[in-house]
Amino acid sequence: MADDIGQKLVKALKEPQESDCLESLAKAMEITKAYASSGSATHFTSVARLFYDLFEMFETGKDPRQK
């Protein structure tokens, strides 16, 4: 499952015209930008992880914390 989400993310970034994940990508990017600019982020890896988890959540509809 994680590989599938990663592949969808890469495809959405490389070929946005052919991807069906643009809405998930845009939502995840918007929330991640707000988090990163809020000052709550203490380490850059937390921002990257949040983005990936949000993208996964919007794509699958499941909470990524329930792994």
Side-chain angles (χ1 to χ4, degrees):
M1 180 75 157
D3 289 337
D4 185 40
I5 295 298
Q7 290 171 350
K8 285 184 176 185
L9 179 57
V10 169
K11 182 177 181 178
L13 293 171
K14 284 187 171 184
E15 302 167 353
Q17 301 86 353
E18 299 176 14
S19 177
D20 58 346
C21 306
L22 290 182
E23 187 175 347
S24 298
L25 181 67
K27 287 179 181 179
M29 186 69 74
E30 185 177 336
I31 294 171
T32 303
K33 277 183 10 182
Y35 172 69
S37 65
S38 72
S40 297
T42 57
H43 200 269
F44 70 92
T45 57
S46 64
V47 175
R49 185 69 200 172
L50 174 69
F51 175 74
Y52 185 84
D53 285 346
L54 286 170
F55 181 78
E56 180 180 7
M57 180 181 71
F58 290 130
E59 274 300 298
T60 64
K62 297 178 183 174
D63 188 350
R65 297 174 295 178
Q66 302 301 321
K67 292 181 182 178

